[in-house]
Amino acid sequence: MMIQIVKLAGLLLMALVLNGNVNAQEVFPDGTPIPDWFRQNTPADLNKLGKQYRVTDYNVKNDSSVVQTQKIQAVIDKAAASGGGVVVIPKGTFLSGSLFFKQGTNLYLESGARLKGSDDISNFPLLMTRMEGQTLKYFAALVNADGLDGFTIAGKGTIDGNGLRYWKAFWLRREFNPNCTNMDEMRPRLLYVSNSKNVQVSGVTCMNSPFWTTHFYKCENVKLLGLHISSPKAPVRAPSTDAVDIDGCKNFLIKNCYLSVNDDAVALKGGKGPLADKDPNNAANENIIIEDCTYGFCHGVLTLGSESIHDRNIILRRLKINNAERLLWLKMRPDTPQDYEYVLVEDIEGSDIGNFLFIRPWTQFFDLKGEKATRDSYSRHITMRNIKLDCNNFFNVGVAENRANVNAFNYKLSDFTFENLNIAAKNNLVIDTAVVEHFTGKNVVVNGKKEF
């Protein structure tokens, strides 16, 4: 009898242990639990988005040559006035300028549907918006949503920025004036969502944006699911067509997406300038997960900066990458106080990568705005593990310069961990632990040689 009791107690203990392992909650890099919200990823169902407003039922024509902004906007306004619903774009091509979605309205693009942006900038009004870490007057995007709760874009159709004319104009201007900036040539974004929460964009293709492709500013609880985001690097390069710009957001998921653009795939923004951390228009990014995605060409798979003041709890995992210039890029900007902390990059496979890790001063548009002193920045608690890839440069990390040069500044790197890395590289093979305070390496193999 006693033996049976002991055996039963052992089985109960084992069951408790196994159950605890099954139910163990994932945590962010700083140890805080990842909410269940990040695991609830069912794409939006058209039939659950409210009353359907099919644009062709309201005198909107399938015509790629006629700009129909006012007619499509009238359908959005009608849906809003009637208590909300979903504006449906059917199969066909519909040309438009800026559209503004309102509370309770959503957008659905059927298979074969194409909402195409006008290549005439006059169809995109000037208004107060957010661009490159600044709050200023600039052009509205093709699709805009501000101050909404529950905004959804879904379907299997395409939002096409029709950017070729804008790209050609930009490069012509750059040829005429090599010092022109991104915003000197007037061009809209594809999608801009601001001051909103509970946002989902699923299934659609976003392509050929004139400028940044999707931009989210001061949003909370955003999910991008199963998107295909692309812009070309040839024959005409699509300048600054970042796939996803996250600008002062909290709780943000990018999952099962394909990203290939002629700039950064995912870039964390938030503000710039020597007093950026004191400007209420700026904000930190917190709790960002990018997972189960496939990448084609891009400048950076994940880039922190160049306009970013604080990024915390960032996870990049379970990716397949081909032909990206950088896996992790930390842009350290001397005119802006920055704190990049608790970043995890794991479970990555990649080929033809330019740089495994790239950390350098970012001085392209250096401007202290009258302040005398440059600003200090920090990158800390950065973990890169379970990664197999081939690259040109492995540890491409620049040491901060001294302050004898006004354009120089100090940035501090600390608490970096490299674990279970199998890297084939041509250059920058040695990990310079002198530039990182508290560096930990475990099972790091470079070109078949175990470094740690």
Side-chain angles (χ1 to χ4, degrees):
M1 182 68 176
M2 182 60 69
I3 294 175
Q4 290 178 330
I5 293 174
V6 171
K7 286 183 177 180
L8 180 60
L11 290 172
L12 288 172
L13 179 60
M14 183 177 293
L16 289 171
V17 170
L18 290 174
N19 188 59
N21 289 336
V22 169
N23 294 326
Q25 188 168 16
E26 285 189 301
V27 296
F28 281 110
D30 72 352
T32 58
I34 296 177
D36 288 339
W37 175 88
F38 281 92
R39 287 174 286 276
Q40 299 164 359
N41 300 316
T42 303
D45 182 345
L46 171 63
N47 297 315
K48 295 181 180 179
L49 293 176
K51 182 179 177 181
Q52 296 178 22
Y53 293 82
R54 196 175 182 85
V55 294
T56 48
D57 292 339
Y58 298 90
N59 201 31
V60 178
K61 306 297 183 184
N62 175 6
D63 191 331
S64 63
S65 64
V66 178
V67 178
Q68 301 183 85
T69 312
Q70 292 182 348
K71 290 182 178 180
I72 300 173
Q73 186 63 54
V75 180
I76 298 170
D77 295 346
K78 180 176 180 61
S82 302
V86 55
V87 175
V88 178
I89 308 293
K91 183 178 180 180
T93 300
F94 303 85
L95 193 64
S96 182
S98 293
L99 300 171
F100 298 88
F101 284 79
K102 301 178 179 181
Q103 181 58 45
T105 61
N106 303 286
L107 174 63
Y108 190 91
L109 297 109
E110 293 182 346
S111 180
R114 184 177 298 266
L115 177 62
K116 188 174 183 178
S118 166
D119 63 5
D120 182 347
I121 193 62
S122 67
N123 289 305
F124 300 87
L126 283 167
L127 42 68
M128 289 303 296
T129 185
R130 180 80 174 179
M131 271 307 306
E132 294 193 339
Q134 307 167 81
T135 300
L136 41 63
K137 184 172 282 190
Y138 195 68
F139 300 93
L142 173 58
V143 176
N144 302 268
D146 180 63
L148 306 188
D149 184 355
F151 178 59
T152 296
I153 299 175
K156 296 298 182 183
T158 298
I159 306 176
D160 183 350
N162 192 24
L164 182 60
R165 184 177 178 182
Y166 296 102
W167 307 333
K168 288 181 175 179
F170 175 86
W171 292 120
L172 183 62
R173 181 182 287 265
R174 180 63 64 87
E175 185 177 344
F176 171 72
N177 174 17
N179 295 319
C180 79
T181 68
N182 276 332
M183 294 173 61
D184 287 335
E185 181 59 41
M186 302 178 293
R187 49 200 177 120
R189 292 154 290 177
L190 194 75
L191 169 64
Y192 177 59
V193 182
S194 54
N195 305 300
S196 298
K197 58 185 179 180
N198 301 315
V199 175
Q200 186 188 108
V201 185
S202 64
V204 298
T205 293
C206 299
M207 62 186 296
N208 297 332
S209 182
F211 206 168
W212 291 358
T213 305
T214 69
H215 181 193
F216 300 85
Y217 171 60
K218 284 194 173 181
C219 292
E220 186 171 348
N221 294 350
V222 178
K223 291 179 180 178
L224 309 186
L225 308 175
L227 303 182
H228 189 288
I229 301 178
S230 65
S231 66
K233 67 171 182 176
V236 178
R237 287 181 293 156
S240 301
T241 47
D242 301 6
V244 184
D245 285 291
I246 303 173
D247 190 353
C249 296
K250 182 177 181 180
N251 295 340
F252 202 111
L253 175 67
I254 304 173
K255 186 176 181 69
N256 294 328
C257 294
Y258 174 79
L259 311 173
S260 181
V261 294
N262 189 55
D263 209 314
D264 295 328
V266 179
L268 304 187
K269 305 292 186 178
K272 65 180 179 181
L275 303 177
D277 54 340
K278 298 177 175 59
D279 185 343
N281 291 313
N282 299 330
N285 295 298
E286 185 177 0
N287 300 349
I288 314 296
I289 299 179
I290 306 123
E291 62 184 12
D292 304 311
C293 295
T294 302
Y295 286 72
F297 176 80
C298 61
H299 292 185
V301 171
L302 173 62
T303 301
L304 281 62
S306 57
E307 311 99 26
S308 194
I309 53 175
H310 188 195
D311 301 316
R312 181 185 178 96
N313 278 339
I314 315 299
I315 297 177
L316 181 75
R317 62 186 179 184
R318 301 195 299 268
L319 307 182
K320 292 186 177 180
I321 307 165
N322 182 51
N323 197 27
E325 292 187 357
R326 302 165 187 86
L327 172 56
L328 178 62
W329 188 0
L330 306 180
K331 291 183 177 179
M332 312 307 296
R333 187 171 181 137
D335 59 4
T336 301
Q338 301 157 312
D339 188 2
Y340 305 154
E341 59 175 349
Y342 295 103
V343 179
L344 171 63
V345 180
E346 67 176 353
D347 300 326
I348 310 291
E349 293 183 7
S351 60
D352 195 19
I353 310 299
N355 297 268
F356 173 80
L357 175 63
F358 191 89
I359 307 175
R360 297 282 175 176
W362 179 262
T363 59
Q364 185 176 6
F365 302 111
F366 178 83
D367 185 2
L368 281 174
K369 300 185 181 297
E371 296 287 313
K372 295 187 181 299
T374 55
R375 296 311 193 246
D376 292 339
S377 295
Y378 304 88
S379 291
R380 50 193 176 181
H381 301 290
I382 311 295
T383 299
M384 304 181 76
R385 67 191 184 198
N386 305 333
I387 299 172
K388 181 180 181 180
L389 57 78
D390 65 81
C391 59
N392 289 329
N393 300 288
F394 174 43
F395 193 78
N396 199 347
V397 178
V399 179
E401 305 169 52
N402 63 51
R403 288 181 178 273
N405 178 351
V406 69
N407 290 332
F409 74 120
N410 290 329
Y411 59 80
K412 184 177 180 180
L413 310 179
S414 64
D415 299 286
F416 277 47
T417 298
F418 285 2
E419 183 177 359
N420 296 334
L421 305 183
N422 187 351
I423 308 298
K426 299 175 182 177
N427 305 297
N428 301 106
L429 307 180
V430 178
I431 299 173
D432 185 359
T433 57
V435 302
V436 180
E437 182 178 344
H438 302 140
F439 176 86
T440 300
K442 182 179 180 182
N443 193 28
V444 176
V445 177
V446 181
N447 292 342
K449 179 183 177 183
K450 189 171 183 178
E451 301 294 334
F452 292 91

